[in-house]
């Protein structure tokens, strides 16, 4: 059990009364005068995400808490409560519907997350009393997946290199009896993954391709591909320090697909799952790949390196080629692929690209439904011209500074067959500032949306 929950009703649990903007006035009228004047004096208006401590109604009674929420779909107000309230046990007053119970637990847990690898939090998290009701295990699986993604992203590159990422993947796969194999170092050349090798070879920490499969062979095949650049220096086209600062998170896509895979397996969706993660460090050495090198690809065509800092699309290209070779029913990739996607959308939402309107619509609907926003951008084929190369079939970066997220997506599209529904998520994977339920640091973006979309279709 997560340490922000308890299932044991201690006698001294502080009760939380939930109010909405519209229910607040009537609720207030039903209260004793002493409480009414307390609330009035505090200026509390029942706004979503705001908590207020209430004194005991009578001598020897207990203190309680008021919490404003938007409605029963609200997740984040519960996240705010979990960070605002003091240590102790809290229980929700009255009969709440299942949706409220689930969203309360979800928000509470997401807001309670701390990265504790190097430092203990300075208070015990407040614990929410949750019923052992049938549907809460699904919330716990969801929370554990998001925690897993956040932990992977938050871990510094010194302890989350390609090897450690592969170990984490192998460990996770083992817990679900999934197969996990790894193509390591120069074997990438033998097995025809030239771009993964080229990008990763400069690092003393060898590049590798992590390959997980799980599920019944006859079930619909869904393949997840995640960018696992464990640190992105930019390579010989070295990033300035401001641009390099956050690049431990450049394996955020890998974190997303591993966490999503864990969630799929924990909930036993009826799919044959495959997860492919090219895990590399984009480093600098005498052996580094260079600007204007021409790389072979697993797909057979040639790529001119316009910029060694456009490395994500290279490693993903080879992984996508392998994904496509099985002719799966769906491919989804997650990647911290471009700064341009952040210029377009900011850090809060994943940029979504898809070659399939139905798939995109399903993802958008799920995203809306579970407050995990994505925004679709176009695979605008005319911009393919920005990737033209005089010496190779395609350039990985090109000279144009226009439409960076779109051209990156178009580069990936070259490796995917038009017949396979494909979604590409260009994510930030990081909360630069804290928001309710979303502490600063690594973050899963689009993960809950994609899971909801899949669960709707494949939950037996
Ligand atoms: N990992 C970066 C993209 C990135 C940077 C994501 C900052 C999130 C925050 C990626 O490998 C990269 O460096 N992309 C370049 C591509 C360019 C050289 C064509 C970019 O976006 O500037
Ligand atoms: Mn880069
Ligand atoms: Zn990168």
């Amino acid at each position: 059990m997560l340490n922000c929950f308890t299932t044991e009703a201690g006698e001294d649990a502080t009760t939380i009364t939930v109010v909405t903007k519209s229910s607040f006035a009537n609720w207030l009228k039903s209260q004793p005068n002493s409480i009414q004047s307390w609330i009035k004096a505090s200026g509390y208006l029942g706004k979503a995400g705001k908590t207020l401590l209430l004194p005991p109604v009578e001598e020897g009674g207990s203190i309680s808490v008021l919490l404003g929420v938007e409605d029963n779909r609200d997740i984040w107000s519960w996240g705010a409560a979990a960070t605002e309230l003091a240590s102790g046990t809290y229980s929700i007053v009255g009969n709440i519907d299942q949706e409220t119970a689930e969203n309360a637990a979800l928000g509470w847990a997401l807001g309670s997350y701390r990265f504790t690898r190097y430092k203990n939090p300075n208070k015990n998290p407040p614990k929410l009393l949750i019923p052992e009701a049938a549907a809460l295990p699904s919330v716990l699986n969801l929370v554990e997946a998001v925690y897993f993604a956040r932990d992977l992203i938050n871990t510094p590159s010194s302890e989350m290199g390609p090897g450690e990422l592969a170990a984490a993947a192998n460990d996770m796969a083992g817990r679900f009896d999934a197969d996990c194999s790894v193509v390591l170092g120069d074997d990438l050349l033998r097995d025809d993954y030239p771009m993964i090798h080229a990008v990763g070879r400069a690092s003393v920490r060898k590049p590798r391709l992590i390959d997980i499969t799980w599920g019944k062979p006859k079930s619909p095949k869904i393949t997840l591909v995640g960018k696992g650049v464990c640190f992105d220096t930019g390579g010989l086209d070295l990033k300035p320090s401001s641009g390099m600062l956050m690049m431990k998170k450049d394996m955020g896509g890998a974190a997303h697909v591993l966490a999503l895979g864990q969630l799929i397996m924990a909930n036993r969706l009826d799919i044959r799952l495959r997860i492919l993660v090219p895990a590399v460090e984009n480093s600098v050495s005498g052996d580094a790949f260079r600007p204007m090198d021409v790389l072979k690809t697993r797909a057979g065509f040639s790529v001119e390196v316009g910029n060694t800092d456009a490395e994500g699309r290279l490693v993903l290209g080879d992984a996508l080629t392998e994904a496509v070779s099985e002719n799966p029913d769906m491919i989804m990739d997650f990647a911290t692929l471009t700064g341009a996607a952040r210029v377009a959308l900011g850090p809060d939402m994943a940029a979504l690209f898809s070659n399939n309107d139905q798939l995109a619509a399903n993802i958008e609907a799920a995203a809306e439904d579970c407050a995990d926003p994505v925004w679709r951008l176009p695979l605008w084929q005319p911009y393919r011209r920005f990737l033209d190369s005089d010496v190779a079939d395609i350039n990985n970066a090109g000279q144009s500074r226009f439409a960076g997220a779109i051209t990156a997506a178009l580069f990936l599209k070259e490796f995917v067959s038009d017949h396979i529904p494909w979604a590409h998520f260009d994510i930030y994977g990081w909360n630069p500032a804290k928001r309710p339920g979303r502490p600063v640091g690594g973050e899963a973006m689009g993960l809950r949306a994609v899971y909801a979309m899949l669960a709707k279709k494949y939950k037996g």
Side-chain angles (χ1 to χ4, degrees):
M1 179 67 71
L2 296 162
N3 72 348
C4 63
F5 291 140
T6 177
T7 53
E8 258 141 73
E11 312 94 67
D12 53 357
T14 305
T15 56
I16 300 179
T17 302
V18 184
V19 293
T20 63
K21 232 167 152 188
S22 59
S23 76
F24 181 60
N26 277 334
W27 175 86
L28 192 58
K29 276 187 218 142
S30 73
Q31 296 302 300
N33 284 338
S34 63
I35 297 291
Q36 292 201 23
S37 31
W38 178 281
I39 292 171
K40 206 169 165 206
S42 71
Y44 185 80
L45 296 169
K47 281 206 185 119
K50 299 285 183 216
T51 52
L52 180 69
L53 270 184
L54 296 179
V57 176
E58 56 213 35
E59 192 69 30
S62 3
I63 287 170
S64 67
V65 169
L66 258 184
L67 171 65
V69 304
E70 214 71 66
D71 51 33
N72 59 359
R73 300 179 55 208
D74 190 349
I75 299 169
W76 306 124
S77 293
W78 296 95
T83 37
E84 227 102 299
L85 294 172
S87 304
T89 304
Y90 297 84
S91 69
I92 305 171
V93 165
N95 281 329
I96 51 165
D97 56 274
Q98 184 69 22
E99 194 172 10
T100 303
E102 287 183 21
N103 287 329
L106 177 60
W108 188 279
L110 294 181
S112 299
Y113 171 86
R114 297 290 175 275
F115 180 55
T116 55
R117 192 173 174 119
Y118 306 103
K119 187 183 173 196
N120 288 321
N122 44 22
K123 71 166 188 187
N124 286 322
K127 289 178 190 286
L128 182 66
L129 180 69
I130 56 169
E132 281 169 294
L136 282 183
S138 71
V139 175
L140 295 184
N141 287 339
L142 202 51
V143 169
E144 269 159 19
V146 174
Y147 276 31
F148 183 36
R150 288 174 174 177
D151 280 342
L152 288 172
I153 297 170
N154 285 332
T155 304
S157 183
S158 60
E159 299 194 64
M160 192 48 69
E164 289 92 345
L165 185 58
N170 187 60
D171 201 70
M172 186 278 288
R175 281 187 281 119
F176 299 97
D177 282 324
D179 290 325
C180 180
S181 64
V182 174
V183 183
L184 176 65
D186 287 345
D187 288 354
L188 289 164
L189 293 176
R190 181 199 68 196
D191 290 356
D192 196 21
Y193 294 100
M195 291 197 290
I196 300 174
H197 186 271
V199 170
R201 75 183 184 220
S203 174
V204 289
R205 305 196 285 183
K206 288 181 184 164
R208 62 206 77 198
L209 177 65
I210 304 161
D211 187 349
I212 295 173
T213 52
W214 173 88
K216 300 191 207 86
K218 289 259 164 65
S219 299
K221 286 191 171 63
I222 299 204
T223 299
L224 307 175
V225 181
K227 172 176 171 181
V229 175
C230 294
F231 196 79
D232 183 9
T233 67
L236 289 171
D237 288 314
L238 199 66
K239 287 181 183 293
S241 54
S242 59
M244 202 187 298
L245 182 63
M246 307 269 290
M247 284 300 118
K248 71 170 183 182
K249 77 176 174 73
D250 215 19
M251 34 58 73
H256 276 62
V257 298
L258 292 173
L260 180 55
Q262 167 177 306
L263 187 54
I264 288 168
M265 295 190 281
N267 288 319
R268 308 205 64 78
L269 297 196
D270 182 21
I271 65 181
R272 205 302 306 261
L273 174 68
R274 189 175 188 197
I275 305 173
L276 289 166
V277 171
V280 303
E281 181 170 3
N282 188 20
S283 194
V284 178
S285 79
D287 192 31
F289 76 126
R290 308 160 194 85
M292 287 201 174
D293 277 357
V294 175
L295 306 181
K296 289 203 189 83
T297 66
R298 184 174 185 78
F301 51 83
S302 57
V303 174
E304 182 182 14
V305 178
N307 194 315
T308 62
D309 199 9
E311 83 298 338
R313 62 194 78 181
L314 300 175
V315 298
L316 288 171
D318 277 351
L320 284 168
T321 303
E322 173 54 23
V324 166
S325 72
E326 269 197 313
N327 197 29
D329 297 273
M330 188 190 294
I331 297 176
M332 287 184 282
D333 76 73
F334 286 79
T336 49
L337 201 61
T338 69
R342 292 320 112 205
V343 175
L345 298 178
D348 290 7
M349 67 190 101
L352 163 66
F353 296 85
S354 182
N355 63 358
N356 185 294
D357 290 343
Q358 188 61 58
L359 174 58
N362 291 346
I363 293 168
E364 288 175 309
E368 170 73 31
D369 218 48
C370 57
D372 189 14
V374 304
W375 199 264
R376 190 177 182 189
L377 297 177
L379 286 163
W380 184 252
Q381 203 61 41
Y383 291 162
R384 169 63 175 78
R385 69 179 184 274
F386 295 146
L387 299 174
D388 287 346
S389 163
D390 290 332
V391 299
D393 294 315
I394 192 168
N395 192 298
N396 78 329
Q399 296 309 302
S400 169
R401 291 175 61 250
F402 291 134
I406 296 176
T407 52
L410 288 173
F411 184 92
L412 298 183
K413 185 172 172 285
E414 297 281 320
F415 299 87
V416 180
S417 147
D418 290 341
H419 309 294
I420 302 174
W422 163 62
H424 156 56
F425 296 87
D426 192 335
I427 54 167
Y428 195 57
W430 191 268
N431 296 316
K434 92 170 199 222
R435 289 175 294 151
R438 289 148 294 189
V440 171
E443 185 60 290
M445 295 175 172
L447 186 155
R448 291 184 297 111
V450 168
Y451 176 74
M453 180 274 293
L454 291 173
K456 193 167 175 195
K457 208 164 166 189
Y458 300 110
K459 182 128 192 167

